[in-house]
Amino acid sequence: YTVIDSKWLQSEINKQGLEKYISGNYMLGKLNKDGQRISIRIEIPRKDKAENVSFITGWMVYPNGKIQLITPYGGK
């Protein structure tokens, strides 16, 4: 992926993150005064092959219920 794809990637990560959060498909992380950290696996198609790649993303669930992407991690 290149800079040209950045808006699509951002949109896709946010879309999958929200869908998986709502369906309970996430792992709990650290809880502190700022909120609850969660990890969500995202899957996107490769541009050069007919397969997908997945990676873990880190999110913060704030006390008001809003979720926000903190960081995409990488790895398997």
Side-chain angles (χ1 to χ4, degrees):
Y1 288 95
T2 66
V3 171
I4 294 169
D5 304 303
S6 63
K7 288 289 186 194
W8 178 82
L9 286 168
Q10 179 183 16
S11 174
E12 185 64 20
I13 290 169
N14 283 324
K15 180 183 117 200
Q16 286 188 39
L18 182 59
E19 289 171 354
K20 291 180 179 191
Y21 173 65
I22 289 170
S23 69
N25 191 3
Y26 58 86
M27 300 267 309
L28 289 176
K30 182 179 172 184
L31 172 64
N32 65 18
K33 65 177 177 53
D34 298 318
Q36 174 73 56
R37 286 170 177 75
I38 61 172
S39 298
I40 298 174
R41 181 168 292 280
I42 302 295
E43 189 172 300
I44 58 171
R46 291 187 180 269
K47 287 190 85 169
D48 58 348
K49 297 179 184 176
E51 57 187 44
N52 291 332
V53 63
S54 70
F55 53 94
I56 301 294
T57 55
W59 300 75
M60 176 67 82
V61 181
Y62 293 100
N64 65 3
K66 177 184 173 189
I67 68 168
Q68 182 177 11
L69 178 65
I70 296 173
T71 186
Y73 294 123
K76 297 180 179 184

